[in-house]
Amino acid sequence: MQGLRFIEGRTQLARFHWMISGVGRSGTTMAYSALLGAARAIAPDTLGRYEPFLWGAPTWDKFPEEFGDAFSQTDSISATGLYAHTQSPLFLDGSHPVHDQFIDEILPSGTPVVAKVIRGAGRLSAFLERDPDLKIVHLIRNPLDVVNSALLYFSFFGGEFHPSDEARFNTEAAVRFAGSHRPTADLTEVERTLDWWRFMNEAALQSASRFPGRLKIVPYEELMADLPRVMGEIASFLGASTELIDPAKLEDKVGPITNWISLRAVDRDAVAPFVDSYFGDARIFGAARNIDIPQIKARLLAKYEACKPGKPYVPQLAPNLAPTRVRNIANAARAEAETSRAAGEKQAALIVSKVSEATRTDLMETLGPLLAKQSDQIEAAANSALQRDVGIVALTAELSGKAKEIEELKAGLTRRDRRIADLEAKLTESQAAAKSADNDVQALKQLNSRLRDRVSSLQEQHRTDEGAVEKLRKEQKEQSEKLRKTEARLREVASEKERCRIQLTELAAILAPRMRNVMTLAPVRYVLRQRQAVKAGRVLIDENGVPVPK
């Protein structure tokens, strides 16, 4: 088992890197939470990295239920992750300098890590090539549910956070999937999202064929059909014990959950052929799958029978004007409008059921246009509520124009005042957040002031140190001058010594003949001894110059 060894029945960690990949939110967040809990049962210091291509420190090393409002805060976005995403190819099988450095940062060698990515499906081979300790589980779900969910919450091309990936997606997909790629400029919004799902999952399936022992494909439908069993299989594949999966983590509802259907009937029909291809793909649903595929497929198609007729789905907000917080408000407004519409229809049905058969047709003819108008007015009210967060002035003008129409609505439209109060509360929260931001700015200004004072202090100290250095340089110069003079004096002494040596040599040459004459009269030693005796006073010299004892 990669990175693990078993000693006395306990799992001892050497190192491991686990990654949960997918094209969409469904299942990946829950699996990430469960596997992070299992990993920390093995190694308490396991790092957690949630979609590191986009989110940064506020989500690191936390379980999803601990994220709070991180996804609505700009500070939660990772500049490093966005840079790695925008500077790396969307489809990558090998080495790339920016992507390699990013992998090394989020999956440090020798440190256990659990990561979850939805922007990495086209890069799984590059991850596995770079990191020999990595194992990946790729969750894949049917295109109808994935496309419907993506339309509500985000764009796969990332236009909410950075310049859209659509242009480079077209360029890369046209090369890698020649013959099946369609330029997105010619497609509806649903078809654009569908093609991202198609090609990203195809790249993941190719990576699974290339790395069969390190990349596991798990269909979402099988995961949800038997959560404990499939999560146990995932844990075993990653090299962990199935007993480490906390059942409570499998019951947690993490992230937004909705039953809202955004697809129109024409959108559903465009996606339907790929549903057949999905459930018929042996790479996804092999012979060993323990689920009833025809039954699951039938329930799925029945769910989308409720799609409304009309033109293809069109986003109400441009991606670069729809960060997560605003889109969530829009979704909540649409959900409230749909709830009001359903309540109105239910009330009308109840009324119709109580009247006689003779008047039922006339009543339906009367209530039908009223209900249609009520639904349109509720949807318009929801859209205007969304515009309140986008622009308060514009929303106020629109609400004043809608006030008379809203008052004409009956039971369901009495919620208007409560909705406005909720929006005002959100505005108050926004103002409080702005005030908090102002406080942060003031704190930063104070910190900046302290930093400037510190810089001034350091500059003053630098000037003082420069004076001391200059003094030392002057002293060194003086010592050098003294040394130079001493060396000159030594040279003079050496010259004088040489001159004396030469004079002594010349004197010796002159005295040598005379010394030979003196030595013929008496030994030199005797003469010297007599001289010493005279100096000591032991002998005297007579008038003839002869020494006599004293």
Side-chain angles (χ1 to χ4, degrees):
M1 292 187 180
Q2 179 152 346
L4 300 177
R5 60 181 185 273
F6 293 87
I7 300 176
E8 298 179 352
R10 293 182 300 171
T11 304
Q12 304 295 326
L13 175 69
R15 61 184 180 180
F16 62 81
H17 290 161
W18 299 345
M19 181 180 291
I20 308 301
S21 169
V23 180
R25 302 175 301 103
S26 299
T28 55
T29 301
M30 179 273 295
Y32 169 78
S33 179
L35 290 175
L36 181 58
R40 287 187 171 168
I42 301 172
D45 61 340
T46 299
L47 303 180
R49 295 294 180 262
Y50 185 93
E51 184 47 26
F53 281 114
L54 178 60
W55 303 113
T59 66
W60 288 354
D61 307 325
K62 297 179 181 178
F63 290 100
E65 59 268 24
E66 299 171 343
F67 291 169
D69 62 347
F71 294 154
S72 63
Q73 302 297 323
T74 305
D75 292 345
S76 300
I77 296 176
S78 169
T80 302
L82 282 185
Y83 179 79
H85 173 71
T86 57
Q87 300 303 312
S88 303
L90 295 171
F91 299 95
L92 181 64
D93 292 328
S95 180
H96 184 276
V98 175
H99 196 255
D100 289 350
Q101 181 179 359
F102 179 69
I103 294 175
D104 295 342
E105 289 178 359
I106 65 170
L107 302 173
S109 178
T111 302
V113 183
V114 177
K116 177 241 180 185
V117 298
I118 63 173
R119 295 176 161 215
R123 301 161 172 158
L124 299 184
S125 290
F127 273 98
L128 292 166
E129 284 278 8
R130 181 69 177 178
D131 188 344
D133 299 317
L134 178 63
K135 281 193 172 183
I136 299 177
V137 175
H138 181 74
L139 288 177
I140 183 170
R141 189 180 186 183
N142 72 82
L144 273 174
D145 282 334
V146 172
V147 172
N148 181 69
S149 177
L151 296 177
L152 282 173
Y153 293 107
F154 57 88
S155 165
F156 283 134
F157 298 110
E160 302 95 332
F161 304 100
H162 55 73
S164 174
D165 290 328
E166 187 169 351
R168 64 190 187 117
F169 171 80
N170 280 319
T171 301
E172 295 182 39
V175 175
R176 182 162 182 143
F177 304 101
S180 57
H181 169 260
R182 305 173 293 179
T184 56
D186 302 332
L187 305 179
T188 65
E189 184 68 21
V190 166
E191 290 171 332
R192 289 188 182 93
T193 306
L194 172 66
D195 274 11
W196 181 281
W197 175 91
R198 290 172 57 204
F199 296 132
M200 285 298 170
N201 280 315
E202 180 60 33
L205 290 168
Q206 292 173 0
S207 297
S209 298
R210 183 178 174 189
F211 298 92
R214 298 176 59 200
L215 200 166
K216 179 180 179 66
I217 300 295
V218 176
Y220 173 82
E221 290 76 15
E222 183 180 14
L223 174 68
M224 300 311 295
D226 194 347
L227 261 175
R229 176 183 63 81
V230 179
M231 284 302 301
E233 292 178 359
I234 290 174
S236 296
F237 168 77
L238 294 173
S241 171
T242 58
E243 288 76 13
L244 295 177
I245 299 296
D246 183 1
K249 291 292 184 185
L250 305 182
E251 298 175 359
D252 290 343
K253 303 300 182 183
V254 290
I257 298 174
T258 180
N259 293 319
W260 180 274
I261 296 178
S262 296
L263 298 177
R264 303 297 188 263
V266 64
D267 298 323
R268 175 200 60 208
D269 295 341
V271 178
F274 298 96
V275 174
D276 295 332
S277 300
Y278 170 74
F279 284 106
D281 195 328
R283 297 173 298 174
I284 304 171
F285 296 95
R289 300 301 185 192
N290 299 318
I291 55 173
D292 187 344
I293 294 178
Q295 183 182 24
I296 292 176
K297 183 178 176 181
R299 285 202 304 265
L300 176 68
L301 296 178
K303 171 184 175 181
Y304 287 95
E305 284 296 327
C307 290
K308 297 179 181 179
K311 296 181 179 180
Y313 173 88
V314 176
Q316 295 185 355
L317 292 176
N320 60 351
L321 296 178
T324 305
R325 185 180 182 88
V326 175
R327 293 173 73 90
N328 287 343
I329 294 172
N331 293 332
R334 283 197 294 267
E336 183 176 339
E338 179 65 15
T339 302
S340 299
R341 183 190 65 79
E345 290 179 351
K346 183 177 180 180
Q347 184 178 8
L350 181 62
I351 294 173
V352 170
S353 65
K354 293 181 178 180
V355 300
S356 64
E357 187 66 29
T359 60
R360 182 173 299 181
T361 302
D362 294 338
L363 186 58
M364 286 301 297
E365 291 177 355
T366 303
L367 291 177
L370 178 61
L371 290 174
K373 181 179 179 181
Q374 181 182 18
S375 178
D376 293 340
Q377 289 173 329
I378 293 173
E379 186 172 357
N383 289 332
S384 62
L386 172 63
Q387 294 302 320
R388 183 180 182 87
D389 275 334
V390 178
I392 299 301
V393 176
L395 177 61
T396 303
E398 187 171 352
L399 286 176
S400 64
K402 296 287 183 181
K404 186 175 181 179
E405 295 179 15
I406 294 175
E407 290 176 356
E408 296 174 357
L409 298 176
K410 294 183 180 180
L413 295 181
T414 57
R415 297 189 183 89
R416 179 185 62 84
D417 291 334
R418 292 196 298 273
R419 176 60 179 163
I420 293 176
D422 291 340
L423 290 174
E424 289 176 346
K426 291 180 180 178
L427 176 60
T428 302
E429 293 177 1
S430 299
Q431 291 173 342
K435 184 177 180 180
S436 177
D438 290 339
N439 293 336
D440 292 341
V441 169
Q442 293 298 324
L444 288 174
K445 287 181 178 179
Q446 293 176 2
L447 177 59
N448 191 27
S449 176
R450 290 197 297 272
L451 288 175
R452 283 199 298 268
D453 293 341
R454 178 59 178 163
V455 169
S456 299
S457 175
L458 290 175
Q459 289 174 342
E460 182 64 28
Q461 183 178 354
H462 179 66
R463 287 192 291 270
T464 303
D465 293 343
E466 282 184 339
V469 170
E470 185 62 30
K471 183 178 179 180
L472 289 175
R473 287 176 180 170
K474 185 175 180 181
E475 292 177 355
Q476 182 183 13
K477 185 175 180 181
E478 292 175 354
Q479 294 295 331
S480 298
E481 182 64 22
K482 289 180 180 179
L483 180 59
R484 185 188 64 77
K485 292 180 179 180
T486 301
E487 289 175 346
R489 179 58 182 163
L490 288 174
R491 286 194 295 272
E492 291 176 0
V493 170
S495 177
E496 182 67 21
K497 180 180 178 182
E498 180 64 19
R499 186 176 61 81
C500 291
R501 187 188 64 78
I502 295 172
Q503 289 178 353
L504 288 174
T505 302
E506 294 174 350
L507 181 61
I510 295 172
L511 292 176
R514 297 180 183 180
M515 289 297 294
R516 283 194 296 270
N517 293 335
V518 172
M519 292 176 65
T520 57
L521 297 177
V524 176
R525 182 178 296 177
Y526 173 78
V527 174
L528 293 175
R529 286 177 180 174
Q530 292 296 327
R531 185 177 179 185
Q532 290 176 353
V534 171
K535 287 183 177 180
R538 295 194 299 271
V539 296
L540 298 175
I541 303 298
D542 61 13
E543 64 274 9
N544 296 320
V546 178
V548 294
K550 187 175 179 181

